[in-house]
PDB file of all heavy atoms in Angstrom:
ATOM      1  N   VAL A  68      -2.829   6.251  16.645  1.00  0.00           N
ATOM      2  CA  VAL A  68      -2.018   6.939  15.641  1.00  0.00           C
ATOM      3  C   VAL A  68      -1.831   8.399  16.055  1.00  0.00           C
ATOM      4  O   VAL A  68      -2.803   9.125  16.258  1.00  0.00           O
ATOM      5  CB  VAL A  68      -2.682   6.860  14.249  1.00  0.00           C
ATOM      6  CG1 VAL A  68      -1.906   7.689  13.241  1.00  0.00           C
ATOM      7  CG2 VAL A  68      -2.778   5.410  13.792  1.00  0.00           C
ATOM      8  N   LEU A  69      -0.569   8.781  16.237  1.00  0.00           N
ATOM      9  CA  LEU A  69      -0.251  10.166  16.597  1.00  0.00           C
ATOM     10  C   LEU A  69       0.384  10.851  15.399  1.00  0.00           C
ATOM     11  O   LEU A  69       1.354  10.352  14.837  1.00  0.00           O
ATOM     12  CB  LEU A  69       0.742  10.195  17.757  1.00  0.00           C
ATOM     13  CG  LEU A  69       0.275   9.651  19.094  1.00  0.00           C
ATOM     14  CD1 LEU A  69       1.425   9.700  20.097  1.00  0.00           C
ATOM     15  CD2 LEU A  69      -0.909  10.460  19.595  1.00  0.00           C
ATOM     16  N   LEU A  70      -0.214  11.960  15.038  1.00  0.00           N
ATOM     17  CA  LEU A  70       0.388  12.735  13.958  1.00  0.00           C
ATOM     18  C   LEU A  70       1.207  13.852  14.577  1.00  0.00           C
ATOM     19  O   LEU A  70       0.688  14.620  15.391  1.00  0.00           O
ATOM     20  CB  LEU A  70      -0.701  13.363  13.073  1.00  0.00           C
ATOM     21  CG  LEU A  70      -1.790  12.452  12.505  1.00  0.00           C
ATOM     22  CD1 LEU A  70      -2.779  13.293  11.693  1.00  0.00           C
ATOM     23  CD2 LEU A  70      -1.183  11.357  11.646  1.00  0.00           C
ATOM     24  N   LEU A  71       2.477  13.922  14.218  1.00  0.00           N
ATOM     25  CA  LEU A  71       3.297  15.057  14.655  1.00  0.00           C
ATOM     26  C   LEU A  71       3.509  15.927  13.418  1.00  0.00           C
ATOM     27  O   LEU A  71       4.112  15.497  12.436  1.00  0.00           O
ATOM     28  CB  LEU A  71       4.640  14.575  15.198  1.00  0.00           C
ATOM     29  CG  LEU A  71       4.564  13.631  16.402  1.00  0.00           C
ATOM     30  CD1 LEU A  71       5.967  13.244  16.874  1.00  0.00           C
ATOM     31  CD2 LEU A  71       3.801  14.289  17.545  1.00  0.00           C
ATOM     32  N   ILE A  72       2.972  17.115  13.478  1.00  0.00           N
ATOM     33  CA  ILE A  72       2.996  17.971  12.280  1.00  0.00           C
ATOM     34  C   ILE A  72       3.845  19.217  12.526  1.00  0.00           C
ATOM     35  O   ILE A  72       3.671  19.915  13.531  1.00  0.00           O
ATOM     36  CB  ILE A  72       1.563  18.392  11.883  1.00  0.00           C
ATOM     37  CG1 ILE A  72       0.676  17.143  11.721  1.00  0.00           C
ATOM     38  CG2 ILE A  72       1.564  19.210  10.598  1.00  0.00           C
ATOM     39  CD1 ILE A  72      -0.751  17.442  11.319  1.00  0.00           C
ATOM     40  N   ASP A  73       4.754  19.448  11.602  1.00  0.00           N
ATOM     41  CA  ASP A  73       5.549  20.687  11.659  1.00  0.00           C
ATOM     42  C   ASP A  73       4.686  21.815  11.110  1.00  0.00           C
ATOM     43  O   ASP A  73       4.359  21.828   9.933  1.00  0.00           O
ATOM     44  CB  ASP A  73       6.796  20.567  10.775  1.00  0.00           C
ATOM     45  CG  ASP A  73       7.793  19.583  11.359  1.00  0.00           C
ATOM     46  OD1 ASP A  73       7.329  18.514  11.830  1.00  0.00           O
ATOM     47  OD2 ASP A  73       8.997  19.864  11.345  1.00  0.00           O
ATOM     48  N   VAL A  74       4.322  22.713  11.998  1.00  0.00           N
ATOM     49  CA  VAL A  74       3.422  23.785  11.573  1.00  0.00           C
ATOM     50  C   VAL A  74       4.195  25.103  11.516  1.00  0.00           C
ATOM     51  O   VAL A  74       4.648  25.604  12.544  1.00  0.00           O
ATOM     52  CB  VAL A  74       2.244  23.927  12.557  1.00  0.00           C
ATOM     53  CG1 VAL A  74       1.208  24.905  12.017  1.00  0.00           C
ATOM     54  CG2 VAL A  74       1.593  22.572  12.834  1.00  0.00           C
ATOM     55  N   PRO A  75       4.365  25.661  10.321  1.00  0.00           N
ATOM     56  CA  PRO A  75       5.118  26.917  10.213  1.00  0.00           C
ATOM     57  C   PRO A  75       4.313  28.115  10.741  1.00  0.00           C
ATOM     58  O   PRO A  75       3.086  28.120  10.667  1.00  0.00           O
ATOM     59  CB  PRO A  75       5.350  27.070   8.711  1.00  0.00           C
ATOM     60  CG  PRO A  75       4.698  25.914   8.033  1.00  0.00           C
ATOM     61  CD  PRO A  75       3.892  25.159   9.029  1.00  0.00           C
ATOM     62  N   ARG A  76       5.052  29.062  11.272  1.00  0.00           N
ATOM     63  CA  ARG A  76       4.466  30.356  11.618  1.00  0.00           C
ATOM     64  C   ARG A  76       4.853  31.316  10.507  1.00  0.00           C
ATOM     65  O   ARG A  76       5.975  31.296  10.023  1.00  0.00           O
ATOM     66  CB  ARG A  76       5.085  30.856  12.921  1.00  0.00           C
ATOM     67  CG  ARG A  76       4.129  30.910  14.094  1.00  0.00           C
ATOM     68  CD  ARG A  76       4.946  30.983  15.362  1.00  0.00           C
ATOM     69  NE  ARG A  76       5.521  32.322  15.543  1.00  0.00           N
ATOM     70  CZ  ARG A  76       4.902  33.282  16.222  1.00  0.00           C
ATOM     71  NH1 ARG A  76       3.739  33.058  16.782  1.00  0.00           N
ATOM     72  NH2 ARG A  76       5.461  34.457  16.362  1.00  0.00           N
ATOM     73  N   VAL A  77       3.908  32.121  10.108  1.00  0.00           N
ATOM     74  CA  VAL A  77       4.211  33.026   9.002  1.00  0.00           C
ATOM     75  C   VAL A  77       3.808  34.469   9.327  1.00  0.00           C
ATOM     76  O   VAL A  77       2.840  34.701  10.054  1.00  0.00           O
ATOM     77  CB  VAL A  77       3.504  32.602   7.690  1.00  0.00           C
ATOM     78  CG1 VAL A  77       4.060  31.287   7.180  1.00  0.00           C
ATOM     79  CG2 VAL A  77       1.990  32.503   7.888  1.00  0.00           C
ATOM     80  N   ALA A  78       4.603  35.374   8.797  1.00  0.00           N
ATOM     81  CA  ALA A  78       4.236  36.793   8.874  1.00  0.00           C
ATOM     82  C   ALA A  78       3.674  37.162   7.510  1.00  0.00           C
ATOM     83  O   ALA A  78       4.297  36.895   6.485  1.00  0.00           O
ATOM     84  CB  ALA A  78       5.462  37.637   9.199  1.00  0.00           C
ATOM     85  N   CYS A  79       2.485  37.737   7.514  1.00  0.00           N
ATOM     86  CA  CYS A  79       1.821  38.044   6.238  1.00  0.00           C
ATOM     87  C   CYS A  79       2.171  39.459   5.795  1.00  0.00           C
ATOM     88  O   CYS A  79       2.009  40.415   6.544  1.00  0.00           O
ATOM     89  CB  CYS A  79       0.313  37.880   6.402  1.00  0.00           C
ATOM     90  SG  CYS A  79      -0.602  38.307   4.915  1.00  0.00           S
ATOM     91  N   GLU A  80       2.662  39.561   4.555  1.00  0.00           N
ATOM     92  CA  GLU A  80       3.004  40.872   4.007  1.00  0.00           C
ATOM     93  C   GLU A  80       1.738  41.657   3.660  1.00  0.00           C
ATOM     94  O   GLU A  80       1.723  42.870   3.669  1.00  0.00           O
ATOM     95  CB  GLU A  80       3.867  40.713   2.738  1.00  0.00           C
ATOM     96  CG  GLU A  80       5.192  40.014   2.953  1.00  0.00           C
ATOM     97  CD  GLU A  80       6.198  40.888   3.704  1.00  0.00           C
ATOM     98  OE1 GLU A  80       6.129  42.125   3.586  1.00  0.00           O
ATOM     99  OE2 GLU A  80       7.036  40.323   4.439  1.00  0.00           O
ATOM    100  N   ALA A  81       0.701  40.939   3.369  1.00  0.00           N
ATOM    101  CA  ALA A  81      -0.539  41.601   2.918  1.00  0.00           C
ATOM    102  C   ALA A  81      -1.321  42.197   4.084  1.00  0.00           C
ATOM    103  O   ALA A  81      -1.755  43.343   4.029  1.00  0.00           O
ATOM    104  CB  ALA A  81      -1.410  40.618   2.153  1.00  0.00           C
ATOM    105  N   CYS A  82      -1.532  41.417   5.161  1.00  0.00           N
ATOM    106  CA  CYS A  82      -2.379  41.940   6.240  1.00  0.00           C
ATOM    107  C   CYS A  82      -1.603  42.208   7.532  1.00  0.00           C
ATOM    108  O   CYS A  82      -2.162  42.686   8.517  1.00  0.00           O
ATOM    109  CB  CYS A  82      -3.570  41.025   6.502  1.00  0.00           C
ATOM    110  SG  CYS A  82      -3.144  39.437   7.246  1.00  0.00           S
ATOM    111  N   GLY A  83      -0.351  41.833   7.532  1.00  0.00           N
ATOM    112  CA  GLY A  83       0.493  42.231   8.652  1.00  0.00           C
ATOM    113  C   GLY A  83       0.439  41.346   9.878  1.00  0.00           C
ATOM    114  O   GLY A  83       1.086  41.625  10.882  1.00  0.00           O
ATOM    115  N   THR A  84      -0.347  40.249   9.848  1.00  0.00           N
ATOM    116  CA  THR A  84      -0.425  39.396  11.033  1.00  0.00           C
ATOM    117  C   THR A  84       0.678  38.351  11.030  1.00  0.00           C
ATOM    118  O   THR A  84       1.245  38.016   9.991  1.00  0.00           O
ATOM    119  CB  THR A  84      -1.777  38.655  11.109  1.00  0.00           C
ATOM    120  OG1 THR A  84      -1.935  37.894   9.912  1.00  0.00           O
ATOM    121  CG2 THR A  84      -2.948  39.608  11.268  1.00  0.00           C
ATOM    122  N   VAL A  85       0.981  37.852  12.246  1.00  0.00           N
ATOM    123  CA  VAL A  85       1.938  36.751  12.370  1.00  0.00           C
ATOM    124  C   VAL A  85       1.218  35.597  13.045  1.00  0.00           C
ATOM    125  O   VAL A  85       0.803  35.713  14.197  1.00  0.00           O
ATOM    126  CB  VAL A  85       3.168  37.165  13.227  1.00  0.00           C
ATOM    127  CG1 VAL A  85       4.174  36.015  13.304  1.00  0.00           C
ATOM    128  CG2 VAL A  85       3.818  38.404  12.658  1.00  0.00           C
ATOM    129  N   ARG A  86       1.014  34.497  12.314  1.00  0.00           N
ATOM    130  CA  ARG A  86       0.248  33.373  12.879  1.00  0.00           C
ATOM    131  C   ARG A  86       0.732  32.029  12.348  1.00  0.00           C
ATOM    132  O   ARG A  86       1.435  31.962  11.353  1.00  0.00           O
ATOM    133  CB  ARG A  86      -1.247  33.518  12.526  1.00  0.00           C
ATOM    134  CG  ARG A  86      -1.944  34.587  13.327  1.00  0.00           C
ATOM    135  CD  ARG A  86      -3.235  34.982  12.670  1.00  0.00           C
ATOM    136  NE  ARG A  86      -4.246  33.932  12.761  1.00  0.00           N
ATOM    137  CZ  ARG A  86      -5.451  34.048  12.216  1.00  0.00           C
ATOM    138  NH1 ARG A  86      -5.771  35.150  11.546  1.00  0.00           N
ATOM    139  NH2 ARG A  86      -6.321  33.079  12.326  1.00  0.00           N
ATOM    140  N   GLN A  87       0.262  30.962  13.042  1.00  0.00           N
ATOM    141  CA  GLN A  87       0.502  29.628  12.510  1.00  0.00           C
ATOM    142  C   GLN A  87      -0.411  29.409  11.321  1.00  0.00           C
ATOM    143  O   GLN A  87      -1.547  29.886  11.316  1.00  0.00           O
ATOM    144  CB  GLN A  87       0.151  28.575  13.574  1.00  0.00           C
ATOM    145  CG  GLN A  87       1.279  28.339  14.550  1.00  0.00           C
ATOM    146  CD  GLN A  87       0.992  27.139  15.444  1.00  0.00           C
ATOM    147  OE1 GLN A  87      -0.103  26.600  15.451  1.00  0.00           O
ATOM    148  NE2 GLN A  87       1.999  26.749  16.195  1.00  0.00           N
ATOM    149  N   VAL A  88       0.078  28.666  10.330  1.00  0.00           N
ATOM    150  CA  VAL A  88      -0.778  28.413   9.171  1.00  0.00           C
ATOM    151  C   VAL A  88      -1.928  27.483   9.582  1.00  0.00           C
ATOM    152  O   VAL A  88      -1.832  26.750  10.567  1.00  0.00           O
ATOM    153  CB  VAL A  88       0.009  27.773   7.991  1.00  0.00           C
ATOM    154  CG1 VAL A  88       1.134  28.680   7.544  1.00  0.00           C
ATOM    155  CG2 VAL A  88       0.515  26.386   8.342  1.00  0.00           C
TER     156      VAL A  88
END
Side-chain angles (χ1 to χ4, degrees):
V68 174
L69 295 177
L70 308 178
L71 300 181
I72 306 181
D73 290 42
V74 188
R76 247 162 75 91
V77 293
C79 177
E80 299 288 331
C82 69
T84 57
V85 182
R86 286 162 70 182
Q87 277 189 351
V88 300

